[in-house]
């Protein structure tokens, strides 16, 4: 017996899964469905989602399509990039970081339209169900969550297609067989999982890649660019000021051309299993390395090393869906404090899948050529001071050595 639901806000892409979910919600719960489609820069035309929702009986005033690209990059991607967050040392968290924004907007819409529940299309095997629902509950503790993949008996793509055809739901031609792989995209990345990627021994087929040129086919001449940072955030490309989303989009174009940002990863999902995915993060890869480049000049060693200790924990929180947790907010406050003087310009070389920091400058640089020079430093550094420094640090080692050799 299902709980009585009058109105539900569905995270809706217009694809096969969420189109089936829309009809299933109407039938199973006898409720009114409100659709929410987020433009996070996935590069798809979103108006077809509006038309599909209308054909499914959703009232026009209950179809929400929001352009959230600037909000996504400014308030989610950039704060994460300030932390240099990499999950398991490699993954730039492109899917993970999008989920809290979608969840937040869904809850806002639910309040606006007086909905009883929210719903998503994530399966019961993946991380996204956790990310969406932790977001929902953090922002609306008493909200009802409907996760169809954990409730219905449509356990295969074949069953989904049969349901869709029975109810005159449009099925894209490339979905009439088993899809070769599934994808998720936004302005930060594209991820691909499943089917042809499930054997971790087999190389990712070239046709899976959609955001990057094959590095082997990339230009034979390197391209040189500069990125300007202010207080830890990118503000300009090649001297031209840009909004966060515009900057990331331009870097994506550069990364695509030069085959930058491919990652073949076997990762540990929060739910316990390992999965193999292919990620393309062209602009984000360039940006991440540039940000580390400017931090090299401007962060004190203690702050820099502490940040490197915090980054894996921060990344794990984002990956596991705890964006709205107090511990992530505490880490963010510390990270953002460190960024006050992370300002300056980084010069990079892009070449056949590689990103190389080749220059950096900052008005807040802690680098002193006068101190570090191999030439005469004119007394800026007294090398004799090192003797005492070394002896004090060696004291415990010498005591250990005498004991153990005695």
């Amino acid at each position: 017996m299902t709980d009585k639901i009058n109105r539900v806000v569905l995270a809706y892409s217009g694809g096969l899964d969420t189109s089936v979910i829309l009809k299933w919600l109407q039938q199973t719960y006898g409720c009114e469905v409100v659709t929410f489609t987020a433009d996070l820069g996935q590069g798809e035309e979103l108006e077809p989602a509006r038309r599909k929702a209308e054909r499914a009986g959703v009232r026009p005033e209950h179809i929400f399509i929001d352009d959230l690209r600037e909000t996504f990059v400014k308030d989610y991607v950039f704060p994460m990039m300030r932390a240099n967050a990499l999950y398991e040392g490699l993954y730039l968290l492109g899917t993970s970081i999008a989920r809290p924004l979608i969840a937040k907007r869904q809850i806002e819409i639910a309040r606006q339209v007086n909905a009883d529940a929210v719903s998503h299309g994530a399966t019961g095997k993946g991380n996204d169900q956790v990310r969406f629902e932790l977001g929902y509950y953090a922002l609306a503790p008493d909200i009802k969550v409907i996760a169809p993949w954990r409730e219905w008996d449509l356990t295969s793509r074949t069953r989904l297609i049969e349901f869709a055809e029975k109810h005159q739901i449009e099925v894209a031609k490339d979905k009439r067989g088993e899809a070769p792989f599934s994808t998720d995209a936004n302005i930060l990345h594209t991820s691909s999982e499943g089917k042809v990627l499930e054997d971790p021994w087999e190389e990712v087929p070239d046709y899976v890649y959609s955001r990057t040129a094959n590095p082997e086919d990339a230009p034979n001449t390197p391209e040189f660019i500069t990125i300007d940072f202010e207080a830890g955030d990118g503000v300009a490309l090649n001297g031209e000021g840009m909004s966060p989303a515009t900057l990331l989009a331009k870097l994506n174009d550069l990364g695509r051309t030069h085959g930058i940002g491919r990652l073949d990863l076997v990762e540990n999902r929060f739910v316990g299993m390992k999965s193999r995915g292919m990620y393309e993060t062209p602009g984000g890869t360039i940006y991440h390395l540039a940000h580390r480049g400017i931090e090299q000049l401007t962060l004190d060693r203690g702050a820099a090393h502490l940040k490197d200790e915090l980054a894996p924990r921060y990344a794990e929180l984002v990956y596991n869906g705890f964006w709205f947790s107090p511990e992530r907010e505490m880490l963010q406050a510390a990270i953002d404090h460190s960024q006050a003087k992370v300002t300056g310009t980084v010069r990079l070389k892009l070449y056949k899948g590689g990103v190389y920091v080749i220059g950096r400058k900052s008005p807040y640089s802690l680098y002193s050529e006068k101190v570090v020079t191999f030439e005469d430093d004119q007394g800026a550094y007294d090398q004799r001071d090192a003797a005492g420094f070394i002896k004090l640090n060696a004291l415990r080692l010498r005591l250990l050595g005498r004991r153990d050799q005695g």
Side-chain angles (χ1 to χ4, degrees):
M1 183 70 179
T2 57
D3 295 334
K4 177 59 179 173
I5 300 294
N6 295 310
R7 185 173 293 160
V8 57
V9 179
L10 170 64
Y12 180 70
S13 70
L16 175 62
D17 291 18
T18 53
S19 294
V20 168
I21 287 171
L22 197 166
K23 175 59 70 174
W24 181 87
L25 288 169
Q26 293 169 331
Q27 288 187 341
T28 305
Y29 286 87
C31 63
E32 185 175 18
V33 179
V34 178
T35 63
F36 164 56
T37 306
D39 181 357
L40 298 179
Q42 54 266 51
E44 298 176 354
E45 174 58 51
L46 298 182
E47 282 306 307
R50 183 188 305 277
R51 294 192 291 271
K52 288 181 181 179
E54 288 177 344
R55 285 198 296 270
V58 180
R59 289 194 282 162
E61 65 269 26
H62 282 168
I63 299 172
F64 291 81
I65 298 178
D66 295 351
D67 184 347
L68 300 176
R69 288 173 293 179
E70 288 292 351
T71 298
F72 178 48
V73 180
K74 178 178 180 291
D75 296 336
Y76 293 81
V77 175
F78 274 15
M80 181 179 72
M81 289 290 186
R82 293 197 290 270
N84 299 327
L86 293 171
Y87 182 66
E88 298 188 334
L90 292 168
Y91 171 39
L92 281 162
L93 296 159
T95 294
S96 316
I97 193 60
R99 298 327 188 201
L101 174 55
I102 294 171
K104 181 174 184 286
R105 185 64 184 128
Q106 261 186 282
I107 294 299
E108 290 172 351
I109 293 170
R111 290 185 172 129
Q112 181 178 335
V113 302
N114 296 314
D116 313 284
V118 289
S119 182
H120 60 77
T123 74
K125 286 188 176 183
N127 299 305
D128 277 343
Q129 59 179 337
V130 183
R131 296 165 183 154
F132 281 128
E133 294 177 39
L134 289 180
Y136 299 151
Y137 290 132
L139 299 169
D142 299 318
I143 195 73
K144 169 70 176 176
V145 177
I146 303 174
W149 278 100
R150 303 202 300 257
E151 295 184 25
W152 65 20
D153 59 359
L154 304 176
T155 55
S156 69
R157 187 153 301 277
T158 300
R159 296 286 302 277
L160 284 179
I161 292 172
E162 289 173 353
F163 182 98
E165 291 178 337
K166 179 180 177 182
H167 295 92
Q168 290 80 52
I169 296 170
E170 181 181 339
V171 180
K173 290 181 179 179
D174 62 352
K175 296 281 190 180
R176 290 199 169 269
E178 289 278 345
F181 54 90
S182 66
T183 63
D184 175 78
N186 58 51
I187 194 172
L188 180 55
H189 91 156
T190 296
S191 68
S192 302
E193 293 181 328
K195 297 305 174 186
V196 298
L197 302 175
E198 287 182 356
D199 183 350
W201 179 249
E202 294 298 322
E203 184 178 4
V204 177
D206 195 61
Y207 64 81
V208 175
Y209 297 99
S210 61
R211 293 279 284 271
T212 53
N214 188 324
E216 297 170 8
D217 300 326
N220 293 322
T221 303
E223 184 167 358
F224 299 89
I225 65 170
T226 61
I227 300 176
D228 295 342
F229 288 87
E230 290 183 7
D233 288 343
V235 295
L237 174 63
N238 295 328
E240 180 184 351
M242 296 180 183
S243 71
T246 302
L247 175 60
L248 184 54
K250 294 288 188 182
L251 291 175
N252 279 335
D253 292 340
L254 291 164
R256 173 192 291 275
T257 298
H258 293 280
I260 291 165
R262 294 184 173 189
L263 174 64
D264 181 342
L265 179 66
V266 176
E267 71 198 61
N268 291 290
R269 286 183 179 171
F270 191 24
V271 295
M273 69 186 77
K274 287 185 182 288
S275 67
R276 192 268 189 103
M278 189 282 296
Y279 300 108
E280 293 176 273
T281 318
T285 299
I286 299 169
Y287 186 94
H288 169 77
L289 292 169
H291 180 257
R292 294 216 64 140
I294 195 61
E295 283 192 330
Q296 292 166 10
L297 279 187
T298 56
L299 279 190
D300 166 75
R301 182 186 68 184
H305 289 188
L306 180 58
K307 272 196 79 219
D308 282 347
E309 292 179 35
L310 298 177
R313 176 68 172 136
Y314 184 106
E316 186 176 78
L317 289 170
V318 174
Y319 185 86
N320 291 346
F322 288 93
W323 179 261
F324 297 111
S325 68
E327 60 268 37
R328 200 281 308 175
E329 292 171 350
M330 288 169 64
L331 286 177
Q332 193 73 60
I335 288 159
D336 290 352
H337 180 77
S338 77
Q339 301 293 290
K341 290 185 168 60
V342 179
T343 293
T345 302
V346 180
R347 188 166 71 248
L348 306 107
K349 179 169 73 172
L350 315 179
Y351 183 64
K352 288 192 175 294
V355 184
Y356 309 95
V357 174
I358 60 170
R360 64 292 258 171
K361 62 181 180 179
S362 170
Y364 301 115
S365 176
L366 294 172
Y367 179 86
S368 171
E369 187 174 352
K370 185 176 181 181
V371 168
V372 81
T373 182
F374 279 90
E375 301 303 325
D376 182 5
D377 60 23
Q378 299 178 337
Y381 177 88
D382 189 341
Q383 298 194 33
R384 291 171 296 186
D385 291 344
F389 174 80
I390 294 167
K391 282 192 173 181
L392 284 175
N393 276 281
L395 178 58
R396 64 188 182 90
L397 303 179
R398 296 172 79 183
L399 293 171
L400 281 166
R402 288 171 185 155
R403 181 198 69 182
D404 295 342
Q405 293 169 17

